[in-house]
Amino acid sequence: MPLNGALQPGFRFLTAPGFVFAMSFVAIPQTMHFAGPLTLQSGATLRDFTLAYETYGTLNADRSNAVLICHALNASHHVAGYYADEPDNIGWWDNMIGPGKPVDTNRFFVIGVNNLGSCFGSTGPRDLNPDADPISPRQRYGADFPVVTVEDWVNAQALLLDALGIDQLAAVMGGSLGGMQTLSWTLQYPQRVRHAIVIASAPNLSAENIAFNEVARRAIVTDPDFHNGHFYEHGVVPARGLRIARMIGHITYLSDDVMNSKFGRELRDAVSTNLSGYKYSTQDVEFQIESYLRYQGDKFSTYFDANTYLLITRALDYFDPARQFDGDLSRTLARAQADFLLVSFTTDWRFSPARSREIVKGLLDNRRRVSYLEIEAPHGHDAFLLDNPQYLEGVRTYFERRVAA
């Protein structure tokens, strides 16, 4: 199998905040089927499964330049580039990955994988359940898809790397939930990772974060169209629950400063002819922030799967590698052999800098090589996806001086 990324079909230049010219390229989605069973942390087994993935750049002769990108909650394997038949469908980290970008695909072979349980091509709740009773109307997994964990995702990713002939990664990298997968890679497969780049992440979720996830899940499962997770057979989608879940999520992704500067208390144009500007209604959308949240919720409900949302948020809740060491993160990280770069953002209150510093301390306690960047940024948790020059240059420098060395 030729391990070449999708750079050759064509390039184009994209304008983006912070970049006058940003080179992008045609990305080609791929899938790989695994016939053997995968035993999950829960004890359940997936008899067979498919992983969707994309690659960018070229794997070198000694197969030493591979970089694995782990995605967050609602992202996918489409990390960079655009699709030839969907030129506006640009990868979620296209500002970070590509020719001449911080993770330079002229030097590195970059792999993006869609996790099990997702709804973007890898085996998930929407797919047919091979163990379903052939006479049952329930042929799709739905709520019967087994609960998956970060550790399960990493094991599946390792199988993909095995199939691609990659024994060791130059780096694993991810933000938010992707950062948790990155951290887990260094613990589950310490000899297969040379560098770990953990961005806007944490060693586990706080009680507050678990609470946000639970409220979002309750919004979905109490939607009358959820049908106990088997809504596919009813030809409906629990869109109301998904909308509310996404609105809750967006509140946690943005900082208070960004919300106030972007929306403040501004009313929508021509809300009312009343001199006060208010419509004196409890149902109408009057404030700009209301309009923004409803727009995001409406959009999300058209493409994301409700069962997937439940699975991924539960995987977030469960991730806690120090649990088996009585909460001692230093003892936990003793297994890691990789060099680390950790990045946090000052206004990220969902995964605050203090959480990244916990990981830094645990690594230093074990005399691991670790670099830490705490970026002044007003954008909250979403900052890891945005064009902050200090942030992007910090990642570029690490890859040039450390990963490529």
Side-chain angles (χ1 to χ4, degrees):
M1 169 191 311
L3 295 183
N4 294 322
L7 300 189
Q8 60 273 26
F11 294 88
R12 69 172 181 170
F13 288 96
L14 302 173
T15 58
F19 294 90
V20 177
F21 295 106
M23 182 177 285
S24 193
F25 51 87
V26 174
I28 300 176
Q30 304 175 67
T31 59
M32 187 174 293
H33 183 74
F34 296 85
L38 178 67
T39 301
L40 306 175
Q41 295 286 302
S42 66
T45 299
L46 282 175
R47 188 202 305 175
D48 65 293
F49 61 95
T50 296
L51 292 178
Y53 69 102
E54 292 179 10
T55 65
Y56 324 106
T58 301
L59 190 66
N60 60 13
D62 62 1
R63 297 172 179 259
S64 63
N65 69 331
V67 176
L68 175 67
I69 304 297
C70 302
H71 70 75
L73 192 154
N74 67 309
S76 72
H77 55 292
H78 183 37
V79 180
Y82 63 97
Y83 294 143
D85 57 347
E86 296 180 78
D88 293 327
N89 187 352
I90 300 168
W92 57 269
W93 227 354
D94 190 74
N95 60 336
M96 179 69 76
I97 295 159
K101 294 179 183 179
V103 183
D104 189 351
T105 51
N106 291 327
R107 305 178 73 172
F108 297 103
F109 178 68
V110 178
I111 307 158
V113 187
N114 185 219
N115 287 327
L116 290 171
S118 187
C119 51
F120 297 116
S122 292
T123 299
R126 288 178 178 173
D127 292 311
L128 295 176
N129 183 352
D131 297 320
D133 185 335
I135 64 172
S136 169
R138 294 182 179 175
Q139 293 301 304
R140 300 184 187 276
Y141 277 107
D144 296 329
F145 194 88
V147 170
V148 286
T149 66
V150 167
E151 291 81 5
D152 294 327
W153 291 334
V154 169
N155 286 333
Q157 292 161 7
L159 291 174
L160 176 64
L161 294 181
D162 292 343
L164 296 177
I166 298 168
D167 294 327
Q168 188 183 64
L169 290 159
V172 184
M173 176 175 174
S176 189
L177 175 57
M180 292 177 170
Q181 295 166 65
T182 299
L183 185 61
S184 201
W185 257 100
T186 70
L187 304 178
Q188 292 177 245
Y189 299 95
Q191 295 182 331
R192 297 190 71 170
V193 183
R194 297 203 302 275
H195 295 269
I197 296 87
V198 179
I199 302 173
S201 196
N204 57 25
L205 284 193
S206 66
E208 181 182 47
N209 273 311
I210 294 172
F212 281 123
N213 285 345
E214 172 60 7
V215 173
R217 286 192 294 266
R218 289 310 96 192
I220 290 171
V221 302
T222 57
D223 186 320
D225 287 332
F226 183 65
H227 293 285
N228 293 316
H230 294 286
F231 50 88
Y232 313 104
E233 288 77 20
H234 295 267
V236 295
V237 172
R240 284 165 286 188
L242 277 168
R243 290 187 192 108
I244 295 170
R246 187 57 168 173
M247 290 166 73
I248 293 166
H250 260 279
I251 293 170
T252 70
Y253 302 151
L254 300 177
S255 71
D256 186 52
D257 289 344
V258 162
M259 276 207 182
N260 281 321
S261 64
K262 189 173 183 178
F263 305 107
R265 292 184 51 79
E266 289 185 20
L267 298 172
R268 297 181 66 192
D269 293 339
V271 164
S272 171
T273 56
N274 190 299
L275 291 178
S276 70
Y278 299 140
K279 296 180 74 172
Y280 294 101
S281 165
T282 60
Q283 304 298 313
D284 293 323
V285 178
E286 299 190 50
F287 290 91
Q288 290 288 7
I289 184 61
E290 294 176 319
S291 178
Y292 169 79
L293 290 175
R294 292 204 191 186
Y295 168 78
Q296 293 295 339
D298 288 344
K299 183 172 69 171
F300 188 69
S301 69
T302 64
Y303 71 85
F304 208 77
D305 181 76
N307 284 311
T308 291
Y309 197 94
L310 303 184
L311 289 168
I312 294 181
T313 55
R314 186 53 98 189
L316 269 163
D317 295 348
Y318 282 158
F319 182 70
D320 187 7
R323 190 168 185 263
Q324 61 182 297
F325 294 94
D326 297 320
D328 189 331
L329 191 58
S330 295
R331 287 173 57 202
T332 306
L333 294 174
R335 287 175 286 171
Q337 299 177 19
D339 293 349
F340 279 75
L341 169 65
L342 284 100
V343 183
S344 67
F345 300 91
T346 53
T347 57
D348 182 357
W349 57 273
R350 184 152 200 189
F351 294 108
S352 70
R355 304 311 313 275
S356 289
R357 291 191 219 113
E358 290 178 41
I359 302 173
V360 170
K361 180 184 181 300
L363 292 167
L364 292 176
D365 287 345
N366 287 284
R367 300 183 181 276
R368 298 292 180 258
R369 297 178 67 183
V370 55
S371 302
Y372 175 53
L373 291 174
E374 188 169 309
I375 305 295
E376 289 278 351
H379 307 101
H381 188 56
D382 268 355
F384 84 93
L385 298 169
L386 303 178
D387 293 329
N388 180 295
Q390 183 185 8
Y391 160 49
L392 294 178
E393 189 57 32
V395 174
R396 179 192 300 276
T397 298
Y398 187 85
F399 268 86
E400 289 178 349
R401 296 183 182 178
R402 300 294 302 279
V403 181

